[in-house]
Amino acid sequence: MNQENLLIYLVSDSIGETAEQVAKAAISQFVFQDYEIRRFPFINEKQQIMEMLEEAKQGRSVVVFTMVVQELKDYLIEETARLNIPSIDIMSPVIAGFGGVLGAVPKREPGLIRKLDEKYFKKVEAIEFAVKYDDGKDPRGLKKADIVLIGISRTSKTPLSMYLAHKNLKVANVPLVPEVTPPKELYDVPSKKIIGLTTNPMKLIEIRQERLKALGLKSEANYASIERILEELEYADNIMKRLGCPVIDVSTKAVEESASIILEILREIGYKLTNGK
């Protein structure tokens, strides 16, 4: 490498993406012949810093860092000064600025933005799972699910699945219909991971009649008849008893309330919720 070329050492106690993006954006503002970037992520010991600086002091170098752990940051600043290596602290001025505005003390924890990104992608994955395994579309998803909702038509299976997906839970749901045998995979799911949904028959008549109207069908269709609804509820109740799963009556509950009960059931069985609640 030509002696005039610049070595940019990117040092971080996390992945180091911020340091690289800022360094590249800044150096693009200069007419510059050549430079090389060397990235040192996940620095968590002073020895790692010293080894990097031993290399950096051999050439024309600058250290660009995004260290948030105070002890390591102070050590890096001290050693670059001692070795006469220029250093640029990217994070501290921004953190100090926000600290002044918010009147709060920073966590000084590496990788928080990456953790937020991971949480976002887990939520997207859970939502995609809920869509893929909604309404019993693919019984293979039952074993992969964090929780399985079962119940007759119009017992809020899909809305609950989507709501819980936003809590990073992978939810599958299965409709229970007297004429259709439940998938055999349902009986391989631990009963504590299955939630049965039931409802008041008179409330269900109203809901189904409104559904028929929305579809432009006659409200007196068998789908909304009391005889049919009682038959479906009895059939579903027998399956839920056979499975030995918890059952929630959703007739007077909002989706949020039913979801809260489900989350509490999961806590009781020791399921670790990924959204931290």
Side-chain angles (χ1 to χ4, degrees):
M1 181 183 240
N2 189 301
Q3 193 172 0
E4 293 302 312
N5 290 340
L6 181 65
L7 287 169
I8 302 174
Y9 286 80
L10 304 176
V11 185
S12 177
D13 42 21
S14 183
I15 198 167
E17 287 180 338
T18 302
E20 182 169 358
Q21 290 170 2
V22 173
K24 286 181 176 179
I27 204 166
S28 68
Q29 299 296 315
F30 299 89
V31 178
F32 204 76
Q33 67 274 24
D34 198 10
Y35 65 91
E36 178 184 337
I37 287 180
R38 297 183 180 178
R39 195 155 144 181
F40 290 78
F42 304 114
I43 298 295
N44 54 24
E45 294 180 0
K46 292 180 179 179
Q47 181 61 34
Q48 292 173 299
I49 293 174
M50 199 63 248
E51 290 173 359
M52 179 274 299
L53 292 178
E54 284 295 320
E55 178 183 318
K57 73 179 184 180
Q58 305 299 321
R60 185 185 177 202
S61 305
V62 59
V63 175
V64 179
F65 63 94
T66 54
M67 308 287 287
V68 296
V69 177
Q70 193 67 45
E71 181 183 0
L72 293 176
K73 185 187 80 169
D74 291 344
Y75 180 76
L76 178 60
I77 292 172
E78 290 171 7
E79 290 303 305
T80 51
R82 183 179 67 83
L83 296 170
N84 199 29
I85 300 173
S87 65
I88 303 169
D89 182 355
I90 291 176
M91 291 291 287
S92 291
V94 181
I95 290 176
F98 275 112
V101 172
L102 300 173
V105 177
K107 293 182 179 179
R108 296 290 177 189
E109 182 180 340
L112 285 179
I113 190 169
R114 193 176 75 257
K115 290 178 183 178
L116 290 173
D117 288 343
E118 288 172 358
K119 185 176 179 180
Y120 169 77
F121 287 117
K122 284 181 181 178
K123 180 181 293 187
V124 171
E125 184 180 358
I127 292 171
E128 290 176 344
F129 186 95
V131 172
K132 183 175 181 179
Y133 299 111
D134 180 47
D135 207 30
K137 289 175 185 172
D138 185 348
R140 292 175 299 179
L142 299 181
K143 293 182 181 180
K144 303 175 187 176
D146 295 318
I147 195 158
V148 177
L149 304 179
I150 61 173
I152 66 173
S153 174
R154 316 314 292 176
T155 50
S156 302
K157 295 185 299 298
T158 297
L160 270 170
S161 295
M162 296 307 297
Y163 186 93
L164 292 168
H166 281 82
K167 300 290 184 183
N168 297 348
L169 290 169
K170 292 181 178 179
V171 186
N173 72 74
V174 178
L176 299 179
V177 184
E179 294 78 14
V180 180
T181 302
K184 64 181 187 304
E185 290 86 353
L186 181 62
Y187 296 96
D188 295 328
V189 178
S191 60
K192 64 183 180 181
K193 294 177 67 175
I194 302 173
I195 300 291
L197 304 176
T198 190
T199 189
N200 179 282
M202 301 312 295
K203 180 72 173 178
L204 190 55
I205 287 175
E206 296 177 14
I207 294 172
R208 288 192 174 183
Q209 285 178 342
E210 289 300 318
R211 177 62 175 166
L212 289 171
K213 287 179 184 178
L215 295 172
L217 302 173
K218 293 181 179 180
S219 60
E220 61 267 20
N222 187 47
Y223 174 72
S225 72
I226 185 65
E227 294 81 7
R228 174 63 184 182
I229 286 173
L230 290 174
E231 179 190 0
E232 290 184 33
L233 286 171
E234 183 181 5
Y235 172 76
D237 183 59
N238 288 334
I239 289 178
M240 292 171 193
K241 286 178 179 177
R242 180 179 173 185
L243 290 168
C245 64
V247 179
I248 300 173
D249 186 341
V250 300
S251 55
T252 60
K253 295 179 179 65
V255 169
E256 294 83 357
E257 188 178 357
S258 298
S260 178
I261 295 171
I262 292 171
L263 293 173
E264 186 57 36
I265 291 171
L266 290 178
R267 290 188 187 96
E268 289 176 1
I269 66 174
Y271 188 88
K272 187 176 181 181
L273 302 180
T274 53
N275 69 334
K277 294 186 179 180

